[in-house]
Amino acid sequence: MENRFDIIIIGGGLLGCATAYQLAKRKAGRILLLDGNEIASQASARAACLLTRARTKPGLMEIVQETYDCIAEMEDLLGESLELQQCGSVTIASSEVSLKGLEALEEAATRFGIPNERISREQTRKLLPWIDAEAVDVALYMPTDAFIDSALLCSGYARAASKLGVELRPNCKVKEILVENGRQVSGVRLFNGEVLSASLVVNAAGAWANLLMRPLNVGLPFTPVRSHFWITAIDSERFPAGHPFTVIPDARAFTRSDVGALIIGLRESCCQAFDPSALTERLEDFDFNQAAKWTVLDECAPLLKRYLHDIDDLPIAHYMAGPSCYVPDAMFVIGPVKRYEGLFTVTGCCGGGVAAGGGMGRLAAEMITGERPFVSPELFAPERFGEVNPFSPEFQRRCADARSNKKGG
Ligand SMILES: Cc1cc2nc3c(=O)[nH]c(=O)nc-3n(C[C@H](O)[C@H](O)[C@H](O)COP(=O)(O)OP(=O)(O)OC[C@H]3O[C@@H](n4cnc5c(N)ncnc54)[C@H](O)[C@@H]3O)c2cc1C
């Protein structure tokens, strides 16, 4: 009995923990969540933490709204605040192309009932004391956008799931997913040799998920791609805490306030993908910059200079890099892996697991329990690209291009 579960979830990051919470809410049975490291310690502890509501791709606004709903629900359940910071966002356009993108976002937000308004240069300057507003042609303000500490959110899902009965086992690394008769999933084997049984296994192992799929001849359609940002030294007057985050597609940039400092995220036009088998077990041991080309500042800093004129002289206090799992169509990977009975995945976060985790977990839980899905599952089907080899450089390039072309927050 002790080692027998209805569902085993591999991965205690945002996606695994959100799925555990959503399954527990639905009383889906005896559930175990395993992580090879501490819970909430890997990609989910490295995010810029933006919860951008307005999206132009189908299903995504519903998915993000579910995350906001989960936060409120979990605060009730846990009796504590998860410290959501409703700072608002400003999307900035200074070219014809970015104006088109802004208009599409504005239309999507209005359709979905997300408050939004175009603001003047004067208002932009007031909200963003650091910006050179003369460079801003059009600014779209969305006052209900927010950010949240991603590790705190992840541990919130985990603790809420645990309160609803999910067993959490950190520092338990899965060696293999077990299959009987070549078809039916039967559980997992740990590196310490222990076998844990379940007829349903959810692979939410983030950047490592394909390493567990490889022996089963399954390729999930994503690859880890470097995401990164810089944090300036503190200057509270210029970068007041809680001012809106920005998305500036013309500079391939986003910014966010961080207790008196400014977080600056830049996306190079040729993003760096990694072969999953090159990753270390813990991200702390992986040097993202040795393993990748370093041209982002040369390319992006001059673009941002238009809006942040002294960027070349700005003291930088921290740099953060991590893997985001990108898919060629920049949509998530959620659902059953059809080759096997009882094998599910929730992966391919496309740099959006903080904003989307609650909804991704809900969709997975609905499919597992046989409920009617709240968004169309075909959009996220693991097999939608046919057979893929995530270990091939060609496929990895396709995934990296999805990040290179990302315009939103
Ligand atoms: C720099 C950066 C900025 C970002 N900014 C944002 C943002 O602003 N907004 C946003 O929405 N998203 C953002 N993201 C994306 C967000 O961080 C991810 O979408 C999210 O963390 C993915 O969660 P995950 O559960 O898939 O991965 P992880 O948190 O990495 O969790 C996967 C877990 O699986 C475990 N695991 C792996 N293999 C095994 C095994 N064999 N056995 C047991 N456990 C295993 C790992 O230990 C790990 O804890 C950002 C990401 C980065 C790197």
Side-chain angles (χ1 to χ4, degrees):
M1 254 322 265
E2 219 171 71
N3 283 345
R4 189 169 286 280
F5 298 86
D6 296 303
I7 302 173
I8 293 176
I9 299 168
I10 309 170
L14 279 159
L15 305 193
C17 293
T19 304
Y21 169 64
Q22 295 281 13
L23 282 166
K25 251 174 62 174
R26 290 168 172 76
K27 302 188 176 16
R30 189 165 180 229
I31 302 166
L32 172 69
L33 181 141
L34 298 163
D35 198 295
N37 294 295
E38 292 296 338
I39 283 165
S41 68
Q42 298 301 300
S44 299
R46 291 176 175 237
C49 306
L50 312 183
L51 290 149
T52 316
R53 290 174 185 269
R55 313 272 172 154
T56 50
K57 291 193 162 198
L60 298 194
M61 286 190 288
E62 290 83 348
I63 284 183
V64 175
Q65 181 56 48
E66 174 65 19
T67 301
Y68 276 93
D69 294 346
C70 282
I71 292 169
E73 244 171 54
M74 293 191 299
E75 288 184 332
D76 268 356
L77 180 69
L78 297 170
E80 65 183 73
S81 166
L82 292 175
E83 294 176 30
L84 183 76
Q85 312 285 323
Q86 193 182 304
C87 58
S89 72
V90 181
T91 301
I92 288 166
S94 313
S95 71
E96 237 174 78
V97 177
S98 60
L99 181 57
K100 276 213 172 106
L102 182 146
E103 284 166 353
L105 213 58
E106 188 176 38
E107 190 277 318
T110 304
R111 179 166 35 85
F112 199 70
I114 299 167
N116 69 90
E117 59 174 307
R118 292 195 186 196
I119 54 173
S120 65
R121 284 200 173 125
E122 198 40 49
Q123 287 168 299
T124 305
R125 209 172 280 123
K126 259 199 196 135
L127 287 171
L128 308 168
W130 54 267
I131 206 163
D132 183 349
E134 292 312 307
V136 177
D137 285 352
V138 181
L140 182 65
Y141 176 47
M142 304 210 195
T144 62
D145 269 343
F147 68 88
I148 193 167
D149 181 313
S150 54
L152 188 59
L153 174 61
C154 186
S155 91
Y157 285 122
R159 286 177 298 121
S162 161
K163 201 160 182 187
L164 298 175
V166 173
E167 197 176 316
L168 308 175
R169 282 199 212 167
N171 301 308
C172 262
K173 191 173 176 200
V174 174
K175 186 171 184 201
E176 60 180 322
I177 296 170
L178 302 172
V179 172
E180 277 172 4
N181 307 323
R183 174 98 184 120
Q184 172 63 55
V185 162
S186 62
V188 301
R189 189 190 314 278
L190 303 181
F191 269 85
N192 67 9
E194 205 180 339
V195 170
L196 306 169
S197 319
S199 54
L200 204 141
V201 170
V202 181
N203 182 348
W208 300 268
N210 268 312
L211 299 176
L212 287 164
M213 291 308 203
R214 199 177 201 175
L216 302 174
N217 285 320
V218 170
L220 298 173
F222 73 83
T223 204
V225 177
R226 181 179 62 183
S227 291
H228 45 188
F229 58 80
W230 291 258
I231 309 179
T232 68
I234 289 190
D235 180 347
S236 309
E237 227 167 86
R238 212 168 159 213
F239 308 127
H243 77 265
F245 67 79
T246 71
V247 181
I248 316 176
D250 292 309
R252 311 187 69 83
F254 68 84
T255 67
R256 200 204 91 193
S257 77
D258 186 41
V259 283
L262 191 69
I263 289 184
I264 302 172
L266 299 171
R267 297 188 189 110
E268 54 267 62
S269 57
C270 192
C271 289
Q272 298 293 311
F274 301 105
D275 189 305
S277 51
L279 285 177
T280 49
E281 281 180 29
R282 300 172 341 134
L283 296 176
E284 297 90 302
D285 301 327
F286 189 73
D287 185 341
F288 284 89
N289 300 321
Q290 281 247 310
K293 283 194 208 116
W294 186 252
T295 54
V296 56
L297 288 176
D298 296 342
E299 180 189 0
C300 300
L303 300 176
L304 190 58
K305 200 170 175 150
R306 227 171 129 190
Y307 308 90
L308 183 56
H309 56 88
D310 60 343
I311 187 166
D312 295 340
D313 304 314
L314 217 50
I316 297 295
H318 300 285
Y319 167 72
M320 176 66 87
S324 279
C325 299
Y326 273 85
V327 180
D329 62 1
M331 294 286 265
F332 313 129
V333 181
I334 309 167
V337 173
K338 300 239 164 84
R339 181 177 295 193
Y340 298 96
E341 287 290 332
L343 182 57
F344 268 74
T345 191
V346 190
T347 45
C349 73
C350 295
V354 184
M360 293 172 75
R362 173 172 168 187
L363 179 60
E366 287 174 342
M367 282 193 270
I368 288 169
T369 55
E371 264 174 70
R372 187 156 176 238
F374 79 119
V375 289
S376 174
E378 297 78 38
L379 297 166
F380 310 103
E383 277 102 1
R384 66 188 184 276
F385 300 97
E387 274 200 24
V388 300
N389 176 6
F391 296 92
S392 89
E394 293 72 32
F395 184 75
Q396 289 162 12
R397 188 69 260 143
R398 280 175 69 195
C399 297
D401 287 347
R403 181 167 195 280
S404 309
N405 297 326
K406 183 171 171 177
K407 300 280 187 293

